[in-house]
Amino acid sequence: MKINNMFASDNCSGVHPEIFKAMEQANRGYEISYGDDKYTGKAIKIFKEKFGGSVGVFFVLTGTAANVLSITAASNTYNSVICAETAHINVDECGAPEKFAGIKLQTIRTNSGKIVVSQIEKFLNQKGVEHHSQPKIISISEVTEYGTIYTPDEIKSLADFAHSNDMYLHMDGARLSNACAFLGCDLRELTGEAGVDILSFGGTKNGMMLGESVVIFNSDLNNNFKYIRKQGMQLFSKMRYISTQFVAFFNGDLWLKNAKHANEMAQVLAEKLSHLNIKITNKVEANAVFAIFPKHILKKIREKYFFYVWNEEHNEVRLMTSFNTEVKDIEKFASDLRNCLG
Amino acid sequence: MKINNMFASDNCSGVHPEIFKAMEQANRGYEISYGDDKYTGKAIKIFKEKFGGSVGVFFVLTGTAANVLSITAASNTYNSVICAETAHINVDECGAPEKFAGIKLQTIRTNSGKIVVSQIEKFLNQKGVEHHSQPKIISISEVTEYGTIYTPDEIKSLADFAHSNDMYLHMDGARLSNACAFLGCDLRELTGEAGVDILSFGGTKNGMMLGESVVIFNSDLNNNFKYIRKQGMQLFSKMRYISTQFVAFFNGDLWLKNAKHANEMAQVLAEKLSHLNIKITNKVEANAVFAIFPKHILKKIREKYFFYVWNEEHNEVRLMTSFNTEVKDIEKFASDLRNCLG
Amino acid sequence: MKINNMFASDNCSGVHPEIFKAMEQANRGYEISYGDDKYTGKAIKIFKEKFGGSVGVFFVLTGTAANVLSITAASNTYNSVICAETAHINVDECGAPEKFAGIKLQTIRTNSGKIVVSQIEKFLNQKGVEHHSQPKIISISEVTEYGTIYTPDEIKSLADFAHSNDMYLHMDGARLSNACAFLGCDLRELTGEAGVDILSFGGTKNGMMLGESVVIFNSDLNNNFKYIRKQGMQLFSKMRYISTQFVAFFNGDLWLKNAKHANEMAQVLAEKLSHLNIKITNKVEANAVFAIFPKHILKKIREKYFFYVWNEEHNEVRLMTSFNTEVKDIEKFASDLRNCLG
Amino acid sequence: MKINNMFASDNCSGVHPEIFKAMEQANRGYEISYGDDKYTGKAIKIFKEKFGGSVGVFFVLTGTAANVLSITAASNTYNSVICAETAHINVDECGAPEKFAGIKLQTIRTNSGKIVVSQIEKFLNQKGVEHHSQPKIISISEVTEYGTIYTPDEIKSLADFAHSNDMYLHMDGARLSNACAFLGCDLRELTGEAGVDILSFGGTKNGMMLGESVVIFNSDLNNNFKYIRKQGMQLFSKMRYISTQFVAFFNGDLWLKNAKHANEMAQVLAEKLSHLNIKITNKVEANAVFAIFPKHILKKIREKYFFYVWNEEHNEVRLMTSFNTEVKDIEKFASDLRNCLG
């Protein structure tokens, strides 16, 4: 029997039909490569409408790359990057930030995946002393790896602190769309207007085939990014096929509809789990549900469904919804779970 | 008036319809990410049929990455990589091999882009002396950047020399398909059987949307490549969309048909240019034509067609054909050229 | 008034007269550079007597380099190194391990600076999964940064665990001499015989001018270290001047006498502080005393003596003794302290 | 019989007695480590007198480090450094510039080791195109590896070109003293006044035990160098022992006397060789003599004297003189050579 992956990750979904159709339409004739094509021009224009007219926009191929190249642009090798212990850049990039940017990560223990200024202050004791990596970037994930969401004010507070201390604020926005959907904010309110200097903005987890971007708000970081992207092995030749996806992604606010739907499905899923007396361990704000599954259930349900156990010790699991999760899928899952519960 | 890019590069073409169709067919349901999906399994199986049952196969996203990660796998930072001065790894990767692998490139001047053993021997004087980077890889491009092609015997001779001196042979096979088409060899004869240890094999320039691979013949280099790929920011989440392209690429020998067609179009183009008394500067073996365009023509024709001037001093240009070049396109180009010649 | 640095660090002391004399004696005639001289031959012979006949021995110029190059030799960039949060490699190398070796540090919170196997096990959950840096080295400091000391059994236990899990044990032995003096062990018992694979062994903090070394017990790590040292900018041309220092260092067990003296002085210092009701915060085993100085005292005494405040929040300070600390210096310090206490 | 190394390299000599004496005098009492000691303050003051009041001065431990860290300070990883093919940074650093700075070296073939502007222009074709490493540094060696010397005007011309093209001029001044001695210039005329932005200035080959420095003329490169030095594993704890050497080095113009003597000895040596009809292959300007030794002689004389064969094919050898070469040593060598000639 095929294992069901539908709740394993939002990158187990396919490509949204409208986005796929845009790729098909772009598949005609010759287009100059490496980004000088008409689709890329159009996509960048839309990014500027969404994020601000003066932003720099660079498409890359993986979320890891968006993060690592953002960090590279905003740091020297003797710098440190401050982030939550759970941050993707700390846990899930196989050391790419250290290897490529040469920096040190300095991590903060959190309950929810969110960090606050008071946790960062201690790292500044090291400023100016050459024995220690010099803090230069605060990096936050919006949505966090625990599915929680920073408000614009929370982001501003981190940005202000960063800027007061000659640091930059980086946002890993692999699921930024879901945060916008939850908060009812537009993209600008959570990024440039809140003081973000450089953003990894992803479409892959929200209905695109592949499409990640680096959006640069702070013009100091803009000039040389094209070289960083190329040396970072991320300059895609047939760029039109990413660009056209982003055009469709933004067309008719598809990005927001997709994200809203995914978030709603998480709420439905959480409710179903609660009805089964399964404990939800983090606030469900975006498209992730963290929950404690009794041990005997866990083994049994995982014979049918693959999903990640986040904390082995506590049997805490992560369930993700996506743009194409359907209520009936959730109901089937809840029913299968009920059977396991016996 | 829109500038015509059809001869600028084989990556200005779109995606072959059969390959696009395969992507469409893969776009249904959930698939586990990062390569454990059924399309990737199938694609790897085909690679093993084509290249040998014991090869390691890893899909990556750009040709730069295929080259740089291959070099990384086969070297330590204190090593050097010997290649032609014209090699893509030396000229067109913005220093990515040096940055990521930490190695030194040691280059050989050539006329045709091809190197021979007698040019490499001198670099071995440095073996064992710690002041000097230690030669560890010979890297060749098949097809070369000048559109010329190594025979299996020429490759064997380089491989034997490499192996006799504790070195590896790397092949940049971004256009390996075109070499197979020209020589009437299968993929194995030009790679594993000829002694290649590690291969960058590309589909993007031959009808795919994006799809590059690292094929590892020497099992010493196989074990840890997955970590190198991830840390190299090249692990694609929705892997099925590359894998399914490769499946279609090999289905019914589409890869070979595409390459044969591109090669034939280069022959047609070269013939047309010769009729116009335009000098061809390199043997036309694959899908590239290098030619000297009189200066006054060059300026005029480039108002209509964009293509690269390879050698500014000599007005040498590069014209590329691809899987979808048509004879009538070439005839139109020749006619436009004739008009420029006056 | 000149601030007194005598308790600031053991590297504030000068060079032991016998070691200085050896340098003077080596300062005659021509010697081939880069380590092929007679002094280096002699020094390596002595290292082999002390550490085992099959060890590799490489002299380097800083303790940072000894650590970073050891890690480089024993890891790939996609590996992680597990160490105490307080480890010098984590805190005091300005990110050199990350930058040069490309690795990630994974740290353990400790009270005493010492780590145990049960704290390391969790990191192995990540083994084999390419999203995560792969644990490859356990790195311990002997003496730790808190002046505490691992017993041979404690080291063995870490080594066994490392080797059972395809990992190496690295020891930062900047103050290994002090551990030998405390435990009554010879160098071999605490290193090769206890399972250490690669050792940073320092002389600078124990009476030498400059002299650090990498001692390689595991022959897998031996072959290419000379290239790592050179590329690591650590191959010193007039090598005889380091080598001759090490010869004198070992002659008549000067290394041990120096270390014993430094340790004894720390005991005397701790006793004097206790008499003043100053709280000692870590076991005094080597040549460091950690203590809580009442805040008003701290400011006053630091007008006369410079030393490091280890923990700002708790007014915890570090006082170091060295081979040339004298009892009368300690008495003077205690008397000055008493005056501050009022 | 002991092989004689006196002409092998200027780093086979010992330490000048006055410099050694200064170390002895510094070997008393406690000094704060890492450069805040009184000797370092004094040494930096002298550097400022010699090179200009606004220079940054940083002591490092090897010439490789001085070069590599200078390059690191003046480049991003996507940059290239243009130098002579024979440059030490290209030939003799085991790839340290590529590994540590991440840059690409772009080399120029020369006869004499000296480069001129007309050879550099072609590299600027790549400016602004992200596929190619971006030229950022011109690096010259003064004295060159062939013992030849740039005049102040030649340096100015390179500096002007560099600055007109948004590049820096780096000088590898491992033997800069010898150039000053030859040209009758002071240190400033050949460096800051000629437009050098950053300089590696060495004392080790001219009578010091170890002592290399980075002198920064362009204040843009000054601010963060202390972190680069530390992360580059070059921050020496007992700094006083380098600083005091530099103080003695400059005292009474010892540096210049040493260099003048070494240069004169090279002239004497060249003359003796000419008398034996041995062909001198490069202008003898500093302390190096390059000459063609007939093959049968070469083997025989190398049984008594070790020196480097620079060009195996042409039996070209390099003979170095130093501050303590004596005329009688040269006469003995000439006499031994005469015997070999038979």
Side-chain angles (χ1 to χ4, degrees):
Chain A
M1 195 196 63
K2 195 170 172 289
I3 296 276
N4 193 318
N5 301 304
M6 53 174 57
F7 302 113
S9 176
D10 35 9
N11 61 28
C12 297
S13 295
V15 181
H16 190 281
E18 290 181 32
I19 292 172
F20 204 93
K21 199 174 144 198
M23 297 177 84
E24 201 167 10
Q25 285 166 348
N27 192 32
R28 50 194 60 157
Y30 298 90
E31 285 289 337
I32 195 69
S33 41
Y34 300 118
D36 291 330
D37 63 280
K38 65 172 178 269
Y39 301 93
T40 305
K42 196 169 172 191
I44 289 176
K45 194 160 160 287
I46 296 170
F47 267 74
K48 285 175 179 276
E49 286 163 22
K50 295 288 176 189
F51 288 103
S54 63
V55 298
V57 181
F58 297 88
F59 300 140
V60 298
L61 295 159
T62 64
T64 300
N67 285 334
V68 172
L69 301 189
S70 292
I71 288 171
T72 302
S75 64
N76 277 297
T77 60
Y78 49 77
N79 287 133
S80 71
V81 177
I82 297 166
C83 63
E85 206 177 46
T86 48
H88 203 272
I89 57 169
N90 187 44
V91 176
D92 287 298
E93 321 272 36
C94 199
E98 287 92 342
K99 156 82 177 152
F100 196 81
I103 52 80
K104 173 184 277 296
L105 292 174
Q106 294 188 299
T107 61
I108 294 170
R109 295 201 177 171
T110 74
N111 292 317
S112 64
K114 289 165 64 176
I115 58 177
V116 295
V117 164
S118 63
Q119 295 168 307
I120 301 174
E121 281 160 347
K122 65 173 171 179
F123 295 106
L124 298 187
N125 292 337
Q126 311 173 343
K127 273 237 153 177
V129 182
E130 72 218 78
H131 296 270
H132 312 303
S133 295
Q134 296 296 299
K136 190 71 189 179
I137 299 176
I138 298 170
S139 177
I140 59 174
S141 301
E142 176 78 322
V143 176
T144 74
E145 291 72 13
Y146 272 128
T148 54
I149 290 174
Y150 291 90
T151 64
D153 279 351
E154 288 171 335
I155 298 167
K156 260 181 214 142
S157 147
L158 289 161
D160 288 349
F161 181 80
H163 301 154
S164 304
N165 288 286
D166 191 25
M167 298 172 72
Y168 297 111
L169 181 63
H170 167 250
M171 178 181 281
D172 176 352
R175 294 188 183 97
L176 178 58
S177 303
N178 302 82
C180 289
F182 175 75
L183 293 167
C185 293
D186 66 24
L187 288 161
R188 218 182 283 218
E189 287 171 83
L190 284 178
T191 56
E193 287 179 6
V196 170
D197 294 290
I198 190 163
L199 166 71
S200 309
F201 179 60
T204 312
K205 291 180 197 301
N206 194 25
M208 285 175 63
M209 180 184 289
L210 91 165
E212 305 291 325
S213 63
V214 174
V215 183
I216 305 179
F217 299 94
N218 186 323
S219 59
D220 295 350
L221 308 179
N222 208 353
N223 289 331
N224 296 315
F225 197 86
K226 66 177 181 175
Y227 305 114
I228 292 173
R229 176 173 63 175
K230 172 65 188 179
Q231 201 181 30
M233 306 178 278
Q234 294 292 322
L235 181 60
F236 176 36
S237 56
K238 297 185 174 177
M239 189 80 90
R240 57 170 137 167
Y241 294 101
I242 287 188
S243 306
T244 195
Q245 286 183 72
F246 270 122
V247 172
F249 185 71
F250 283 119
N251 189 37
D253 275 341
L254 178 62
W255 69 281
L256 193 58
K257 289 176 195 162
N258 281 354
K260 268 184 184 157
H261 178 81
N263 288 2
E264 281 164 19
M265 290 301 102
Q267 294 295 340
V268 172
L269 175 57
E271 203 193 350
K272 297 281 178 202
L273 295 180
S274 294
H275 290 172
L276 297 170
N277 286 318
I278 284 174
K279 191 188 169 191
I280 308 298
T281 54
N282 271 285
K283 275 192 275 183
V284 179
E285 300 184 332
N287 62 327
V289 178
F290 287 81
I292 306 286
F293 276 26
K295 200 170 184 120
H296 66 287
I297 313 284
L298 189 50
K299 188 153 177 269
K300 228 162 156 190
I301 190 72
R302 294 238 295 174
E303 285 165 10
K304 285 192 160 182
Y305 294 86
F306 175 76
F307 48 81
Y308 291 94
V309 179
W310 219 245
N311 186 317
E312 298 266 358
E313 203 181 341
H314 300 112
N315 301 317
E316 187 188 28
V317 308
R318 185 194 74 166
L319 301 166
M320 301 295 303
T321 55
S322 82
F323 77 92
N324 58 353
T325 307
E326 296 180 41
V327 172
K328 69 172 169 55
D329 296 334
I330 296 172
E331 284 170 347
K332 179 69 172 61
F333 179 63
S335 150
D336 287 340
L337 255 183
R338 193 176 303 112
N339 291 339
C340 295
L341 284 160
Chain B
M1 194 197 64
K2 192 170 173 289
I3 295 276
N4 192 319
N5 301 304
M6 52 174 57
F7 301 113
S9 175
D10 34 10
N11 62 26
C12 296
S13 295
V15 181
H16 190 281
E18 290 182 32
I19 292 172
F20 203 92
K21 199 175 145 200
M23 297 177 83
E24 202 167 11
Q25 285 167 346
N27 192 32
R28 50 193 60 159
Y30 297 90
E31 286 290 335
I32 194 70
S33 40
Y34 300 118
D36 291 330
D37 63 280
K38 65 171 179 265
Y39 301 94
T40 304
K42 196 169 172 189
I44 290 176
K45 195 162 160 284
I46 297 171
F47 266 75
K48 286 175 180 273
E49 286 162 21
K50 295 288 177 190
F51 288 104
S54 63
V55 298
V57 181
F58 297 88
F59 301 141
V60 297
L61 295 159
T62 63
T64 299
N67 284 335
V68 171
L69 301 189
S70 293
I71 288 171
T72 302
S75 64
N76 277 296
T77 58
Y78 49 77
N79 286 133
S80 70
V81 177
I82 297 166
C83 64
E85 207 175 46
T86 48
H88 203 273
I89 56 170
N90 187 45
V91 176
D92 287 298
E93 320 274 35
C94 199
E98 287 92 341
K99 156 83 175 149
F100 197 81
I103 51 81
K104 173 183 277 296
L105 292 175
Q106 295 188 296
T107 61
I108 293 170
R109 296 202 177 169
T110 74
N111 291 316
S112 66
K114 289 165 64 175
I115 58 177
V116 294
V117 164
S118 62
Q119 295 168 308
I120 302 173
E121 281 159 348
K122 65 174 172 178
F123 295 106
L124 298 187
N125 292 337
Q126 311 174 342
K127 273 237 153 176
V129 182
E130 73 218 79
H131 296 270
H132 313 302
S133 294
Q134 297 294 301
K136 190 71 191 178
I137 298 176
I138 299 170
S139 178
I140 58 173
S141 302
E142 177 78 325
V143 178
T144 73
E145 291 73 12
Y146 272 128
T148 55
I149 290 175
Y150 290 90
T151 65
D153 280 350
E154 288 171 335
I155 298 168
K156 260 180 215 146
S157 147
L158 289 160
D160 289 348
F161 180 80
H163 301 155
S164 304
N165 288 288
D166 191 25
M167 298 172 73
Y168 297 112
L169 182 62
H170 167 251
M171 179 182 279
D172 176 351
R175 295 188 183 97
L176 178 58
S177 304
N178 302 83
C180 289
F182 175 74
L183 293 167
C185 293
D186 66 24
L187 287 161
R188 217 183 283 217
E189 288 171 82
L190 284 178
T191 56
E193 287 179 7
V196 169
D197 294 289
I198 190 163
L199 166 72
S200 310
F201 180 59
T204 312
K205 291 180 196 298
N206 193 27
M208 286 175 63
M209 180 185 288
L210 91 163
E212 306 291 325
S213 63
V214 174
V215 183
I216 305 179
F217 299 93
N218 187 324
S219 59
D220 295 350
L221 308 179
N222 209 354
N223 289 331
N224 296 315
F225 197 87
K226 67 178 180 174
Y227 305 114
I228 293 173
R229 176 173 63 176
K230 173 64 188 179
Q231 201 181 30
M233 306 178 277
Q234 294 292 320
L235 182 60
F236 176 37
S237 57
K238 297 186 174 176
M239 188 81 89
R240 57 170 136 167
Y241 294 102
I242 287 186
S243 306
T244 195
Q245 287 184 71
F246 269 122
V247 173
F249 184 70
F250 283 119
N251 188 37
D253 275 341
L254 178 62
W255 69 281
L256 194 57
K257 288 177 198 162
N258 280 355
K260 267 186 187 157
H261 178 80
N263 288 2
E264 281 165 18
M265 290 301 102
Q267 295 296 338
V268 173
L269 175 57
E271 203 194 346
K272 296 281 180 202
L273 295 180
S274 294
H275 289 172
L276 296 170
N277 285 320
I278 285 173
K279 192 189 167 189
I280 308 298
T281 54
N282 270 285
K283 275 193 273 182
V284 179
E285 298 183 334
N287 61 328
V289 178
F290 286 82
I292 305 287
F293 275 28
K295 201 169 184 120
H296 66 286
I297 312 287
L298 189 51
K299 188 155 178 267
K300 228 162 159 189
I301 191 73
R302 294 237 296 173
E303 286 165 10
K304 285 192 158 179
Y305 294 85
F306 176 74
F307 48 82
Y308 290 94
V309 178
W310 219 244
N311 186 317
E312 298 265 359
E313 202 182 340
H314 300 113
N315 300 318
E316 187 187 29
V317 307
R318 186 194 75 165
L319 301 167
M320 300 295 302
T321 55
S322 83
F323 78 92
N324 58 354
T325 307
E326 296 181 41
V327 172
K328 70 174 168 55
D329 296 333
I330 297 173
E331 283 170 349
K332 179 70 170 63
F333 179 64
S335 148
D336 286 341
L337 255 183
R338 194 176 302 111
N339 291 339
C340 295
L341 283 161
Chain C
M1 195 200 63
K2 194 172 171 290
I3 295 276
N4 192 320
N5 301 305
M6 52 174 57
F7 301 114
S9 175
D10 35 9
N11 62 28
C12 296
S13 295
V15 182
H16 190 281
E18 288 181 33
I19 291 172
F20 203 92
K21 201 175 143 197
M23 297 178 84
E24 201 167 11
Q25 284 166 349
N27 191 33
R28 50 194 59 161
Y30 298 90
E31 285 289 338
I32 195 69
S33 40
Y34 300 117
D36 290 331
D37 63 281
K38 65 171 179 266
Y39 301 94
T40 304
K42 196 169 173 188
I44 289 176
K45 194 161 161 285
I46 297 171
F47 266 76
K48 285 174 178 274
E49 286 163 22
K50 294 289 176 189
F51 288 103
S54 64
V55 299
V57 181
F58 298 87
F59 300 140
V60 297
L61 294 159
T62 64
T64 299
N67 285 335
V68 172
L69 301 189
S70 292
I71 287 171
T72 302
S75 63
N76 277 297
T77 59
Y78 48 78
N79 287 132
S80 70
V81 176
I82 297 165
C83 63
E85 206 175 47
T86 48
H88 203 272
I89 56 169
N90 187 45
V91 176
D92 287 298
E93 321 272 35
C94 198
E98 287 92 341
K99 154 84 176 151
F100 196 81
I103 51 81
K104 174 184 277 296
L105 292 176
Q106 293 188 298
T107 61
I108 294 169
R109 295 201 178 170
T110 74
N111 291 316
S112 65
K114 289 166 65 175
I115 58 177
V116 294
V117 164
S118 62
Q119 296 167 308
I120 302 174
E121 280 158 349
K122 65 173 172 179
F123 295 107
L124 297 188
N125 292 339
Q126 312 173 341
K127 272 236 154 179
V129 182
E130 72 219 78
H131 296 270
H132 312 302
S133 295
Q134 297 295 300
K136 190 70 190 179
I137 299 176
I138 299 169
S139 178
I140 58 173
S141 302
E142 177 77 323
V143 177
T144 73
E145 291 72 12
Y146 271 128
T148 55
I149 290 175
Y150 291 91
T151 65
D153 279 350
E154 290 171 333
I155 298 168
K156 258 179 217 146
S157 148
L158 289 160
D160 288 347
F161 180 79
H163 300 155
S164 304
N165 289 286
D166 191 26
M167 298 172 73
Y168 297 111
L169 181 63
H170 167 250
M171 177 182 279
D172 176 352
R175 294 188 184 98
L176 178 57
S177 303
N178 303 82
C180 290
F182 176 74
L183 293 167
C185 293
D186 66 25
L187 288 162
R188 219 184 281 217
E189 288 171 82
L190 284 177
T191 57
E193 287 178 8
V196 170
D197 294 290
I198 190 163
L199 166 72
S200 308
F201 179 60
T204 314
K205 290 180 197 300
N206 193 26
M208 286 175 61
M209 180 184 288
L210 91 164
E212 305 291 325
S213 62
V214 174
V215 183
I216 305 179
F217 299 94
N218 187 323
S219 59
D220 295 350
L221 308 179
N222 209 352
N223 288 331
N224 297 315
F225 197 86
K226 66 177 181 175
Y227 304 115
I228 293 172
R229 175 172 65 176
K230 173 64 188 180
Q231 200 181 30
M233 307 177 277
Q234 294 292 322
L235 182 59
F236 176 36
S237 57
K238 296 185 174 177
M239 189 80 90
R240 59 169 135 168
Y241 293 102
I242 287 187
S243 306
T244 195
Q245 286 183 73
F246 269 122
V247 173
F249 185 72
F250 283 119
N251 189 37
D253 276 339
L254 178 62
W255 68 281
L256 193 58
K257 289 175 194 162
N258 281 355
K260 269 185 184 158
H261 178 80
N263 288 2
E264 282 165 19
M265 291 301 101
Q267 295 296 338
V268 173
L269 174 58
E271 203 194 347
K272 297 281 180 201
L273 295 179
S274 295
H275 289 172
L276 297 169
N277 286 320
I278 284 174
K279 191 188 167 189
I280 308 297
T281 55
N282 270 286
K283 274 193 275 183
V284 179
E285 298 183 335
N287 62 326
V289 179
F290 286 81
I292 306 287
F293 275 27
K295 201 171 182 116
H296 66 287
I297 311 285
L298 189 52
K299 183 152 181 270
K300 226 163 159 189
I301 191 73
R302 293 237 297 174
E303 286 165 8
K304 283 192 160 180
Y305 294 84
F306 175 75
F307 48 83
Y308 290 94
V309 179
W310 220 244
N311 186 317
E312 298 266 358
E313 201 182 339
H314 301 112
N315 300 319
E316 186 187 30
V317 307
R318 186 194 73 165
L319 302 166
M320 300 296 301
T321 55
S322 83
F323 77 92
N324 59 354
T325 307
E326 296 181 40
V327 172
K328 70 175 170 53
D329 297 333
I330 297 172
E331 285 170 346
K332 179 68 171 63
F333 178 65
S335 148
D336 287 340
L337 255 182
R338 192 175 304 111
N339 290 339
C340 295
L341 285 161
Chain D
M1 196 198 62
K2 195 172 171 291
I3 296 276
N4 192 319
N5 301 304
M6 53 174 59
F7 302 113
S9 175
D10 34 10
N11 61 27
C12 296
S13 296
V15 181
H16 190 282
E18 289 181 31
I19 293 172
F20 203 94
K21 201 174 144 198
M23 297 178 84
E24 201 166 12
Q25 284 167 348
N27 192 33
R28 49 194 59 158
Y30 298 90
E31 286 289 337
I32 195 70
S33 41
Y34 300 118
D36 291 328
D37 62 281
K38 65 172 180 266
Y39 301 94
T40 304
K42 196 169 171 190
I44 289 177
K45 193 160 161 286
I46 297 171
F47 266 75
K48 286 175 178 274
E49 287 161 21
K50 295 288 177 189
F51 288 103
S54 63
V55 298
V57 182
F58 297 88
F59 300 140
V60 297
L61 294 159
T62 64
T64 298
N67 285 334
V68 171
L69 301 189
S70 293
I71 287 171
T72 301
S75 64
N76 277 298
T77 60
Y78 49 76
N79 287 134
S80 70
V81 177
I82 297 166
C83 64
E85 206 176 46
T86 48
H88 203 273
I89 56 169
N90 187 45
V91 176
D92 287 298
E93 321 272 37
C94 199
E98 287 92 342
K99 156 83 176 150
F100 196 82
I103 51 81
K104 175 184 276 296
L105 292 175
Q106 294 188 298
T107 61
I108 293 170
R109 295 202 178 171
T110 74
N111 291 317
S112 65
K114 290 165 65 175
I115 58 177
V116 295
V117 164
S118 62
Q119 295 168 308
I120 301 173
E121 280 159 349
K122 65 173 171 179
F123 294 106
L124 297 188
N125 292 338
Q126 312 174 341
K127 273 237 154 178
V129 182
E130 72 220 78
H131 296 269
H132 312 302
S133 295
Q134 297 294 302
K136 190 70 190 181
I137 299 175
I138 299 170
S139 178
I140 58 174
S141 302
E142 177 78 324
V143 176
T144 74
E145 291 73 12
Y146 272 129
T148 55
I149 290 174
Y150 290 90
T151 64
D153 279 350
E154 288 171 334
I155 298 168
K156 260 180 216 146
S157 146
L158 288 161
D160 288 348
F161 181 80
H163 301 154
S164 305
N165 289 286
D166 191 27
M167 299 172 72
Y168 297 111
L169 182 62
H170 166 250
M171 178 182 280
D172 176 352
R175 293 188 183 98
L176 177 58
S177 303
N178 303 82
C180 290
F182 175 74
L183 293 168
C185 293
D186 65 25
L187 287 161
R188 217 183 281 218
E189 288 171 83
L190 284 178
T191 58
E193 288 179 7
V196 169
D197 294 289
I198 190 163
L199 165 72
S200 308
F201 179 59
T204 313
K205 291 181 196 300
N206 193 27
M208 285 174 64
M209 180 184 288
L210 91 164
E212 305 292 325
S213 63
V214 173
V215 183
I216 304 179
F217 299 94
N218 187 322
S219 60
D220 295 350
L221 308 179
N222 209 353
N223 289 332
N224 297 315
F225 197 85
K226 67 177 180 174
Y227 304 115
I228 294 173
R229 176 171 64 176
K230 173 66 188 178
Q231 201 181 31
M233 307 178 277
Q234 294 293 321
L235 182 59
F236 176 37
S237 57
K238 297 185 173 176
M239 189 80 90
R240 59 169 134 168
Y241 295 101
I242 286 186
S243 306
T244 194
Q245 286 183 71
F246 269 123
V247 173
F249 184 71
F250 283 119
N251 188 37
D253 276 340
L254 178 63
W255 68 281
L256 194 58
K257 288 175 195 162
N258 280 355
K260 268 185 185 158
H261 177 80
N263 288 2
E264 282 165 17
M265 290 300 102
Q267 295 295 339
V268 172
L269 175 57
E271 203 195 347
K272 296 282 179 201
L273 295 180
S274 295
H275 289 172
L276 295 171
N277 287 318
I278 284 173
K279 191 188 168 189
I280 308 300
T281 54
N282 270 286
K283 274 193 272 181
V284 179
E285 299 184 334
N287 62 327
V289 178
F290 286 81
I292 306 287
F293 275 27
K295 201 171 184 118
H296 66 287
I297 312 284
L298 188 52
K299 186 154 178 266
K300 227 161 158 190
I301 191 73
R302 294 237 295 174
E303 285 165 9
K304 285 190 158 180
Y305 294 86
F306 176 75
F307 49 81
Y308 291 94
V309 178
W310 219 244
N311 186 317
E312 297 266 358
E313 201 181 340
H314 301 111
N315 300 318
E316 188 187 29
V317 307
R318 185 193 76 165
L319 301 166
M320 300 294 303
T321 55
S322 83
F323 78 90
N324 58 355
T325 307
E326 296 181 39
V327 172
K328 72 174 166 56
D329 295 334
I330 297 173
E331 285 171 345
K332 179 68 173 63
F333 179 63
S335 148
D336 286 340
L337 255 182
R338 194 175 302 114
N339 290 338
C340 295
L341 284 161

